[in-house]
Amino acid sequence: KQWYQRRVHGARDTEATYVAWGHSSVVSPWGEVISKASEKEEIIFADIDLEFLESVRNQVPIGFQKRNDLYQVVDKEEVDDRVNKTYKLESKKVAETFAIEDLGDKTVFCRCWKSAKFPLCDGAHGKHNKACGDNLGPVIVTKN
């Protein structure tokens, strides 16, 4: 969207440890400087013309030239980023403890959260990897 910009810079002080440039300014939606300070400390003013702003926005119609046939605009709040969608959802945090003596000679644990036998692996990561290009695999614990 086109808008008015205010560019605020510190006044130039050649005796300071950091020497600022100064020249604070107000810039129109077309990029024209409509008010500019010198390098010294000063207050600048600018008139903001809302009708001009609306006119410029209508000339650069990015807000209503969406190509829904090419892409979708998705509200971040609508996206479900949750990895675990099925297992112990009522728990604040899922943490499992297994005693080594209770495991078989080889136990395969899921890391993709897609297994129907979670926390054990059923190979669901293969389908997951193919669908999204990931490279997940299980954790394999052996007793030897």
Side-chain angles (χ1 to χ4, degrees):
K1 295 208 175 203
Q2 301 299 108
W3 60 79
Y4 284 90
Q5 294 182 10
R6 60 171 172 66
R7 298 181 177 179
V8 180
H9 304 281
R12 189 168 182 81
D13 178 0
T14 56
E15 303 296 318
T17 56
Y18 169 77
V19 181
W21 174 247
H23 300 284
S24 294
S25 58
V26 178
V27 181
S28 81
W30 281 131
E32 302 161 327
V33 177
I34 57 176
S35 184
K36 183 177 179 182
S38 68
E39 74 279 359
K40 297 183 173 120
E41 184 177 334
E42 64 182 280
I43 297 173
I44 59 172
F45 297 92
D47 291 324
I48 305 298
D49 184 343
L50 297 180
E51 288 179 14
F52 175 68
L53 176 61
E54 188 64 29
S55 165
V56 170
R57 286 181 174 173
N58 287 331
Q59 293 175 56
V60 184
I62 61 171
F64 50 87
Q65 284 189 337
K66 294 178 186 163
R67 292 288 310 268
N68 293 326
D69 57 320
L70 297 176
Y71 61 87
Q72 282 185 326
V73 178
V74 178
D75 185 355
K76 182 67 176 163
E77 292 178 13
E78 294 176 12
V79 176
D80 182 8
D81 288 337
R82 184 179 197 123
V83 175
N84 174 17
K85 297 180 188 292
T86 59
Y87 187 72
K88 294 187 178 180
L89 297 178
E90 69 284 351
S91 296
K92 184 175 179 181
K93 179 179 177 181
V94 176
E96 305 283 329
T97 302
F98 297 92
I100 294 291
E101 58 273 1
D102 293 341
L103 301 178
D105 288 338
K106 177 178 169 183
T107 305
V108 183
F109 291 100
C110 175
R111 291 194 303 174
C112 71
W113 293 87
K114 307 289 184 190
S115 174
K117 298 179 355 180
F118 192 88
L120 300 176
C121 179
D122 67 359
H125 58 273
K127 183 178 176 183
H128 165 81
N129 290 348
K130 188 173 183 181
C132 69
D134 210 340
N135 65 347
L136 283 173
V139 172
I140 302 171
V141 178
T142 61
K143 284 189 177 180
N144 50 353

